[in-house]
Amino acid sequence: MEWKSIRLLASGLASLSVLILACGRTAPAQEWARKMFDHFSHDFGVLVRGQKAEHRFTFRNLYVEDVEVESVTSTCGCTVVDITKRLLKTHETSEIIARANTVQFLGRKEATVRVRFRKPFPAEVQLHCYMYIRSDVVFEPGQISFGTVIAGKESPAVSVTATHLARSDWQILELRAPSYMHATFKELSRQVGRTSYQIVARLRPETPPGYIRDNIMLVTNDPDPRLRTLTVQVEGIVSPPLSVRPSPLLLGVLTPGQKVLRKLVIQAQESFRLTGVELPSEAFIAALPEEANRLQVVVIEFTAPNTPGKITGVIRLKTDLATDGVVEVPVTGHIVTGEEKPADTSTEKPNSAPAASSPPGTSTVTDQS
């Protein structure tokens, strides 16, 4: 019996040693995935019932290998998750979208968002969301949405009604909005146990082009300092008179003599013609459409030269538009010879992290295949 006990003990210790060794190898292997994220938690703060609130965790493929997300899940229904792009080429970005579910949940909530990666190696990154959802205040609708607005013009007015369902002495004392936005508030009604305010917002003509995701802050007279400040989410798109996508134009990792085709989509508020193009070098060829249209597609062909190294430059597209008639598109890529990798990257083996390559700049989430 003693020898049997000793053998069982030895077997158990050996199994434990293997498990500890495996865990020691697994933990560092997750770091390659964590390095792609710039933050891992978000506090939504105090939300109200029916309010729309979202946060985006951005991550970027720092590696030569493709990165593929297998799944994105949340441990709590208070946070609904989605992803903008599952397969990322070198230097491409994606976003994990976390949306607060203020319709079905109330009180203090928290969720862990698990992002599982399939390629280039199995890994998991955990993100964390926190929120407190009030039941006594309601926003209708849940956010201010401007839709698409043309740059240089004031947007139509958009309003939200904020109602306190339990207090007749509730007040909004102050409103704080971004500098590019004009926002006001006024009292709509005051009854026994119920008070309503209207918040009205407009985008100023000087609002810069791009996607807007911001907040208007409401300062109230709530006796609890933790609940005194509320936020109304604001979103919209300010479209420039002339836009191009994707930008930058990603050529990827190429070998000498390899040819790739990329498409540039140019869009304006009125019909226009493309009158010319300036290319970074003779390795580029551009096919311009001849007819006038509000949307034009330019096909770019690139033949990789024999010299290894980074590909950089700018494509300038000229149009017949009187104002803002020229757009510029940065170009980036890398040329390698045979199995060679760029100087600041390396091929990794399983159970270890890929080496990060030097970032050429922020990439857009666009499929350029």
Side-chain angles (χ1 to χ4, degrees):
M1 292 295 293
E2 293 180 358
W3 283 107
K4 184 176 181 181
S5 299
I6 292 173
R7 286 197 299 269
L8 290 174
L9 177 60
S11 176
L13 289 174
S15 300
L16 179 61
S17 299
V18 172
L19 178 61
I20 292 174
L21 183 60
C23 290
R25 289 175 178 171
T26 302
Q30 312 292 317
E31 287 304 311
W32 74 265
R34 287 180 59 85
K35 287 179 181 179
M36 296 190 294
F37 291 81
D38 58 1
H39 68 291
F40 303 93
S41 66
H42 177 71
D43 190 346
F44 283 100
V46 178
L47 304 175
V48 306
R49 195 167 66 190
Q51 179 176 356
K52 292 185 179 180
E54 74 172 36
H55 179 74
R56 301 195 173 205
F57 296 92
T58 301
F59 64 100
R60 182 168 174 267
N61 182 2
L62 307 174
Y63 312 110
V64 173
E65 297 88 346
D66 291 352
V67 169
E68 184 177 3
V69 176
E70 180 178 359
S71 64
V72 181
T73 58
S74 174
T75 59
C76 177
C78 62
T79 304
V80 181
V81 292
D82 199 358
I83 184 172
T84 58
K85 189 179 183 69
R86 290 184 178 270
L87 182 63
L88 281 70
K89 300 293 185 181
T90 303
H91 303 310
E92 289 186 337
T93 61
S94 181
E95 294 174 312
I96 305 298
I97 307 173
R99 297 185 176 93
N101 183 355
T102 62
V103 175
Q104 297 176 305
F105 292 84
L106 297 172
R108 187 167 300 282
K109 299 294 177 182
E110 61 180 80
T112 298
V113 178
R114 293 191 173 99
V115 186
R116 292 187 175 92
F117 292 89
R118 178 184 289 121
K119 295 179 180 180
F121 310 103
E124 178 178 299
V125 174
Q126 294 188 358
L127 312 172
H128 303 279
C129 294
Y130 311 91
M131 67 194 76
Y132 181 83
I133 306 171
R134 299 180 62 169
S135 61
D136 55 352
V137 179
V138 177
F139 286 166
E140 295 179 353
Q143 69 178 354
I144 289 178
S145 181
F146 289 105
T148 301
V149 180
I150 300 175
K153 298 182 179 180
E154 186 177 65
S155 73
V158 182
S159 65
V160 164
T161 300
T163 302
H164 199 298
L165 303 174
R167 290 181 53 193
S168 56
D169 61 343
W170 185 66
Q171 291 180 303
I172 295 179
L173 304 176
E174 184 183 354
L175 182 151
R176 300 170 187 170
S179 59
Y180 57 81
M181 192 181 306
H182 176 70
T184 60
F185 68 95
K186 67 177 181 179
E187 183 179 314
L188 291 180
S189 65
R190 190 173 296 275
Q191 306 169 8
V192 177
R194 186 184 182 96
T195 306
S196 293
Y197 280 83
Q198 184 184 50
I199 295 93
V200 181
R202 289 183 175 87
L203 293 178
R204 301 180 188 274
E206 58 269 25
T207 304
Y211 181 69
I212 296 172
R213 189 187 298 112
D214 218 322
N215 293 293
I216 294 175
M217 183 178 296
L218 308 178
V219 182
T220 74
N221 66 340
D222 198 297
D224 189 340
R226 297 171 298 177
L227 306 179
R228 195 166 292 163
T229 301
L230 301 174
T231 57
V232 180
Q233 181 171 287
V234 178
E235 69 173 13
I237 299 174
V238 179
S239 178
L242 188 65
S243 62
V244 59
R245 63 180 189 275
S247 181
L249 185 67
L250 306 180
L251 299 176
V253 179
L254 309 173
T255 56
Q258 183 177 351
K259 291 185 179 182
V260 292
L261 294 178
R262 296 290 185 263
K263 292 181 180 180
L264 292 173
V265 179
I266 305 95
Q267 191 168 5
Q269 305 301 325
E270 57 184 287
S271 292
F272 68 97
R273 293 179 184 274
L274 287 165
T275 59
V277 58
E278 295 180 7
L279 300 172
S281 70
E282 295 180 353
F284 292 85
I285 299 175
L288 302 182
E290 297 181 357
E291 297 182 358
N293 208 325
R294 292 177 58 186
L295 188 147
Q296 304 277 14
V297 178
V298 177
V299 178
I300 303 293
E301 179 182 304
F302 176 76
T303 303
N306 294 327
T307 306
K310 291 185 177 180
I311 307 166
T312 59
V314 175
I315 297 175
R316 300 183 77 248
L317 295 161
K318 303 176 182 179
T319 74
D320 61 356
L321 294 174
T323 58
D324 298 322
V326 178
V327 289
E328 296 185 348
V329 183
V331 179
T332 183
H334 213 115
I335 302 173
V336 298
T337 56
E339 297 299 323
E340 176 192 355
K341 298 291 182 182
D344 52 358
T345 62
S346 62
T347 303
E348 300 294 332
K349 299 179 181 179
N351 297 326
S352 63
S357 58
S358 300
T362 305
S363 303
T364 54
V365 186
T366 307
D367 186 357
Q368 300 187 37
S369 58

